[in-house]
Amino acid sequence: MDLTEAIFGRRATRHYSSADVAEATLEGLIHAAVHAPSALNGQPWAFTVVRDRALMGRLSRDAKAHLVATSPAATDSLHGPMADEQFHIFYDAPVLILISATAEGPWVVEDCALAAQNLMLAAYAAGLGSCWIGSAQTYLNTREGKMALDMPAAWVSVAPIIIGHPTVVTAPVSRNLPLIRWVD
Ligand SMILES: Cc1cc2nc3c(=O)[nH]c(=O)nc-3n(C[C@H](O)[C@H](O)[C@H](O)COP(=O)(O)O)c2cc1C
């Protein structure tokens, strides 16, 4: 797929079929992710791939509970669904790829975010949907969240990305005009 088509066509996907995504395909997405630039080529990332639906369900439940307990905004209109028992924070996607920083440093979050963007664009080019689930991030960085995924305590999760086969075509959401300042 043409890069421009991928950049303009990718959408946050929130409706997935229950079909699995082949392991080789997921490895291909991660291969694209690690071709992102990173500060000093440090590549301070790891990819935790979760495909266990029961575990995804438990993570969803615990991440919502954590958000409701810790965020005063958790029941406002933005976070309202967090109090809804039926709401699946990962939208029943078959795969979660959690990109975590494995080292400390001033740019590890930027590095992981760039890897995440590559991964989401590659997913779109492969006919898959993706969505960054920021609302799960704080829980995944708790001691309990890390233990649930058997992750080293020192890693810092940056990008929980769900992946799967979309069941609907997601309409584009509008963009503001960019604020451009030409300083000549
Ligand atoms: C850092 C970050 C966190 C996000 N967190 C969530 C989330 O928790 N739940 C969700 O449904 N979408 C989440 N999104 C998706 C955004 O809502 C979406 O990218 C945005 O509305 C623009 O839509 P588009 O990706 O289709 O262009 C997140 C996106 C980013 C970059």
Side-chain angles (χ1 to χ4, degrees):
M1 180 185 286
D2 171 56
L3 176 63
T4 307
E5 193 184 338
I7 288 174
F8 288 94
R10 181 215 54 81
R11 295 270 71 82
T13 300
R14 300 184 178 91
H15 300 278
Y16 295 93
S17 80
S18 57
D20 292 331
V21 181
E23 195 159 309
T25 305
L26 294 172
E27 284 172 354
L29 303 186
I30 293 169
H31 187 62
V34 301
H35 279 265
S38 62
L40 301 167
N41 198 25
Q43 305 173 57
W45 42 50
F47 302 82
T48 301
V49 183
V50 185
R51 293 178 294 179
D52 177 334
R53 312 277 171 123
L55 176 56
M56 296 266 279
R58 282 203 302 280
L59 294 175
S60 169
R61 187 196 61 206
D62 293 345
K64 286 189 300 175
H66 179 76
L67 212 54
V68 168
T70 56
S71 165
T75 48
D76 69 13
S77 59
L78 178 67
H79 298 97
M82 299 305 156
D84 178 352
E85 210 174 292
Q86 301 304 315
F87 177 67
H88 198 297
I89 208 167
F90 302 118
Y91 300 102
D92 286 309
V95 183
L96 167 69
I97 300 182
L98 179 59
I99 306 178
S100 311
T102 55
E104 289 183 13
W107 297 298
V108 295
V109 171
E110 287 85 343
D111 296 336
C112 289
L114 288 165
Q117 175 72 333
N118 267 20
L119 190 131
M120 292 188 286
L121 290 175
Y124 180 71
L128 296 165
S130 69
C131 188
W132 182 319
I133 304 297
S135 47
Q137 191 179 348
T138 42
Y139 168 71
L140 293 170
N141 274 314
T142 62
R143 191 168 162 273
E144 294 72 26
K146 289 178 187 185
M147 278 172 59
L149 294 175
D150 202 17
M151 263 177 49
W155 289 8
V156 175
S157 289
V158 173
I161 310 285
I162 52 170
I163 302 283
H165 298 273
T167 53
V168 297
V169 176
T170 305
V173 293
S174 65
R175 292 298 195 264
N176 300 329
L177 285 175
L179 194 164
I180 304 176
R181 298 175 61 249
W182 304 97
V183 182
D184 296 320

